[in-house]
Amino acid sequence: MKTTKHALIAATLLALTATSLWAANAQPAGIGRHEALRHDLDVPGREVVQVRVDFAPGAAFGMHTHPGIEVAYVLEGSLAYTFEDAPPVTLKAGQSLFIPAGTPHAAHNPGNTPAAELATYLVEKDKPIVALHPAR
């Protein structure tokens, strides 16, 4: 009984530490992410994930990719998106953007007020939603 209790405590601490490390490494300052939906698609091995991403004034999320397409819909404020191989795009609330699978891109809030987007991903299951992209 004691061994099981100790193992459970150790597993809980390990999970909390891993979550904290992921959050510290994956969440840039001023960025908040809240997963609203995750559901299997009718295509085997694929899922849809919706995430609300909040950007503090001036906050940026550096170059990254996704293992599938992203549709970004700006909920409030304005967001500027930059790409390696395409011109930058700035959107305001009510506008959306289609980002093809694997396309390196970055986003930042150029304004003085908070901004937010609803990111909808149609992605491969069991892969990280965000992969940081090394700078060139």
Side-chain angles (χ1 to χ4, degrees), residues 31-84:
I31 304 289
R33 293 176 63 87
H34 170 75
E35 186 174 301
L37 172 79
R38 182 179 293 260
H39 196 276
D40 289 347
L41 293 172
D42 58 356
V43 177
R46 308 284 291 178
E47 67 183 347
V48 60
V49 181
Q50 281 194 311
V51 178
R52 180 186 169 107
V53 185
D54 291 290
F55 292 76
F61 199 104
M63 235 4 123
H64 62 282
T65 60
H66 305 286
I69 64 168
E70 175 186 2
V71 178
Y73 176 80
V74 179
L75 297 167
E76 61 185 82
S78 64
L79 292 169
Y81 300 86
T82 55
F83 304 89
E84 280 191 343

Side-chain angles (χ1 to χ4, degrees), residues 31 36 95 105 111 124 130 133:
I31 304 289
Q95 295 181 310
H105 61 285
E124 295 177 51
V130 177
H133 191 73

